[in-house]
Amino acid sequence: MKLTLQVDGALHPVTLTEEGVTIGRGDQATIKIQTNAVSRIHARVFLRNGQPHVMDMKSLNGTSLNGSVLNEPALLHPGDTILLGETAVVWVPEGSPAPAVGLNQDLAPRAVISKIALEDRAFDASGSILVPHASLEAMLAQASGQHPSGEAVTLFQRLASMAGTLLRAAGLAELLESVMGLVTAQIPCQRGFILLADAGGELVPELVWEEVPGTHTNPISRTIARTAMDNRVAILTTDARMDPRFSAGESIKIHSITSALCAPLIVEDQALGVIYLETSLNKGGFKREDEHLLSAMANFAAVGIQREREAKFRQRLERYHSPQVVDQILKSSQSKEAPALQAQRCQISVLFADISGFTRMSEGMEPLVLAGILNRTFEVMTDQIFSRGGTLDKYIGDAIMAFFGAPNPDPDHAKHAIEAAIAMQDCLATLNAARPAGYPELKMRIGINSGEAFAGDIGCEKRMDYTVMGSTVNLASRLESGVAKPGQIVLGPRTAELSGRADLRQLAGFALKGIEQEVRPFEVLWTPDAPTGVHGLR
């Protein structure tokens, strides 16, 4: 049997047999599609009992036929559309002119680089339809009760397919594109927007989709978007020109925007933004079924957006904190309180550790060998900091800066800083004892100081680092560089006072650079007692 498949705008005449043809991005596929969203062997079109069928080949992003997800082989008819993830494959009926472009152009997302403006429009509580935001569970229960079983099953299948696609998205940008592609594939419209709230609560268009790119540059209604997000309602204007809420918005008449559909992106108690769709009268406007579907899809999208944000946030936090502290920060950041990394004053203990003589030592060593020694040493040292609730500020050449007591308050920050310092010296002794022949013996100076400091995200929009600043930090640095000797742990007076330790010896007074008053620090009288589980340099 012969038929013609249109894939991404290209026509592929094929002769079907019981073995059939395969579609995918792999070299073994009969029809190849150059997109990463399509699996190597994504779907197969074949004859069964003399009739053409299509089946999914356990693809990553799934296969659907005319909007229904394929779980088993399905019969094909002329004009049917198969979606491989978001890529359309159409059976072009014999004798029918093929469209100039593939149907995928209507179904896949189109990110438009555009400065879309938002304008305020008059608002009245009456008119059109406002539907209070409901949880996904409530929506699905409502769908089961109000819709025929076939329609409810179709809705569940659409949402299940969407959930799978969003879970596989790599990064926020790809996730937003997937959301818009899935929405516009199910709800006919002319323009689509995903607007997310920035740090100040302002709605910013993050993704713009247009049915025909470049044909619409009109502003969209900030009032509709803002009301949907702030009041947590889905807004459906059946004809915006006749809607009394927008009667003062002459721009609607000028722009011929006759129907708008907007659903809030809500996850738990947080409003992240909105999905906003527009269409004109000749498209027929939006229907209640569209509102119901968009609201459900917005629930899924909100969860996906929140997941991507948390993943990015966690990735940044893990540069500085132990997994346990990261979990605590993420948990607190989900509350209604201020963000966990907001700048604040806090009581902390700051630790500086430096490998003495490393610069001189490095002059006669191969760079890769040198890097291996330093990386292994830092790995062991950082473990000792994390295991006591400390925060890694940064690596400075052959030095480490860390602090205890922020972002989570720790009443025993001085005690934990000293314990970490002793453990670091013990681990270094173990590393030295197991070092290969020819490797240098490493010695480390450590200075610790306690007091009030300023902690928070510091930097610019492109690069932010969580760090601490203030005189407490400066003194800790001076104690390490100007007082401590190789193998020594030196404490500031406040650290010694807070620790309550008896194994301390007060040193002579020091006049330190940048410190106005003379300082009489303390030395920790520790003895090497290497812990188990620390392996030598290699």
Side-chain angles (χ1 to χ4, degrees):
M1 178 178 181
K2 293 183 179 181
L3 54 82
T4 300
L5 299 177
Q6 182 182 8
V7 184
D8 268 352
L11 298 179
H12 296 267
V14 298
T15 300
L16 281 192
T17 62
E18 291 185 356
E19 182 178 350
V21 297
T22 55
I23 309 171
R25 62 179 174 86
D27 292 335
Q28 296 181 345
T30 311
I31 300 175
K32 292 185 63 175
I33 302 177
Q34 298 299 326
T35 174
N36 289 332
V38 172
S39 298
R40 295 180 183 277
I41 301 294
H42 197 110
R44 182 165 72 99
V45 180
F46 62 100
L47 287 181
R48 171 181 286 183
N49 299 325
Q51 298 293 321
H53 286 68
V54 60
M55 66 178 293
D56 181 70
M57 299 296 286
K58 299 182 179 179
S59 63
L60 185 63
N61 289 324
T63 304
S64 63
L65 177 61
N66 299 326
S68 298
V69 177
L70 290 181
N71 297 314
E72 57 185 22
L75 183 65
L76 268 180
H77 300 91
D80 281 352
T81 298
I82 307 165
L83 278 182
L84 312 185
E86 295 169 1
T87 300
V89 177
V90 182
W91 179 357
V92 179
E94 186 176 355
S96 300
V101 292
L103 292 185
N104 188 43
Q105 194 165 358
D106 290 331
L107 299 174
R110 238 186 244 106
V112 179
I113 301 175
S114 178
K115 295 288 185 181
I116 296 296
L118 283 80
E119 65 176 3
D120 295 318
R121 297 176 185 168
F123 187 85
D124 188 312
S126 63
S128 291
I129 301 169
L130 277 76
V131 182
H133 171 77
S135 68
L136 183 62
E137 292 79 5
M139 289 181 182
L140 294 178
Q142 184 182 23
S144 298
Q146 293 184 356
H147 296 279
S149 59
E151 293 183 13
V153 169
T154 299
L155 174 62
F156 296 152
Q157 290 175 339
R158 287 175 174 176
L159 296 179
S161 177
M162 181 179 189
T165 300
L166 298 189
L167 285 172
R168 290 186 288 269
L172 182 60
E174 182 177 327
L175 183 138
L176 296 182
E177 289 184 0
S178 296
V179 168
M180 187 57 73
L182 292 164
V183 167
T184 55
Q186 302 294 334
I187 305 175
C189 61
Q190 288 183 303
R191 298 201 296 173
F193 308 84
I194 297 178
L195 300 93
L196 300 182
D198 62 14
E202 288 297 317
L203 283 169
V204 178
E206 294 289 340
L207 186 75
V208 180
W209 178 93
E210 293 180 335
E211 185 182 37
V212 181
T215 57
H216 298 279
T217 58
N218 307 322
I220 62 175
S221 171
R222 189 200 319 271
T223 311
I224 294 177
R226 192 84 240 177
T227 303
M229 187 177 81
D230 291 348
N231 295 353
R232 303 192 176 204
V233 294
I235 297 178
L236 168 60
T237 65
T238 53
D239 189 337
R241 292 175 299 181
M242 302 300 293
D243 192 330
R245 289 177 297 166
F246 314 116
S247 58
E250 290 299 319
S251 60
I252 291 181
K253 298 177 182 178
I254 298 172
H255 301 156
S256 297
I257 301 297
T258 60
S259 190
L261 177 59
C262 188
L265 295 164
I266 307 292
V267 56
E268 296 180 355
D269 292 329
Q270 298 186 59
L272 307 181
V274 298
I275 301 178
Y276 185 112
L277 306 179
E278 286 185 338
T279 193
S280 60
L281 186 62
N282 60 12
K283 287 285 186 178
F286 297 113
K287 304 175 180 63
R288 283 301 305 273
E289 291 79 6
D290 298 326
E291 175 273 317
H292 187 84
L293 180 58
L294 183 64
S295 295
M297 297 177 88
N299 270 281
F300 268 121
V303 172
I305 292 169
Q306 182 74 346
R307 178 179 62 86
E308 288 299 325
R309 286 181 168 178
E310 288 188 358
K312 186 176 181 180
F313 191 37
R314 174 180 286 276
Q315 187 178 29
R316 185 161 65 90
L317 290 175
E318 287 175 344
R319 296 169 52 193
Y320 311 108
H321 310 291
S322 66
Q324 294 82 1
V325 173
V326 170
D327 290 337
Q328 293 175 17
I329 294 173
L330 290 175
K331 184 177 180 180
S332 65
S333 69
Q334 293 172 356
S335 69
K336 295 182 180 179
E337 300 174 357
L341 298 186
Q342 179 179 338
Q344 57 185 329
R345 293 190 177 277
C346 50
Q347 293 292 326
I348 63 171
S349 290
V350 185
L351 179 153
F352 281 86
D354 182 81
I355 300 174
S356 60
F358 195 83
T359 302
R360 183 174 62 256
M361 180 193 315
S362 64
E363 293 176 354
M365 299 185 68
E366 291 290 334
L368 290 178
V369 175
L370 187 68
I373 294 175
L374 200 58
N375 289 342
R376 178 58 180 146
T377 303
F378 279 171
E379 180 184 354
V380 174
M381 301 300 122
T382 303
D383 285 345
Q384 304 311 313
I385 295 167
F386 281 174
S387 65
R388 290 160 180 83
T391 295
L392 174 67
D393 189 299
K394 61 179 69 74
Y395 299 119
I396 314 168
D398 55 354
I400 298 174
M401 176 183 172
F403 51 90
F404 299 75
N408 287 340
D410 178 6
D412 295 323
H413 53 83
K415 172 187 174 184
H416 292 148
I418 296 171
E419 290 176 351
I422 295 173
M424 291 165 71
Q425 294 285 22
D426 284 338
C427 289
L428 192 61
T430 301
L431 289 171
N432 283 325
R435 72 186 187 278
Y439 273 48
E441 182 180 6
L442 304 180
K443 295 287 186 180
M444 187 162 51
R445 304 187 308 265
I446 299 179
I448 303 173
N449 189 44
S450 304
E452 186 181 73
F454 178 89
D457 275 334
I458 305 296
C460 63
E461 183 178 352
K462 293 183 178 179
R463 172 66 185 271
M464 300 287 287
D465 282 327
Y466 185 70
T467 189
V468 290
M469 298 183 299
S471 59
T472 297
V473 181
N474 296 338
L475 180 52
S477 176
R478 296 291 183 261
L479 290 173
E480 176 271 309
S481 61
V483 178
K485 297 177 181 179
Q488 203 173 29
I489 302 171
V490 174
L491 312 179
R494 180 59 177 159
T495 307
E497 179 186 353
L498 291 173
S499 72
R501 297 178 68 102
D503 58 342
L504 303 179
R505 177 171 67 89
Q506 191 167 26
L507 304 176
F510 286 83
L512 300 174
K513 182 179 180 181
I515 308 298
E516 294 182 0
Q517 298 179 345
E518 183 182 75
V519 178
R520 292 202 66 189
F522 291 78
E523 177 189 3
V524 179
L525 302 175
W526 70 282
T527 55
D529 183 19
T532 59
V534 178
H535 304 288
L537 295 169
R538 57 179 182 270

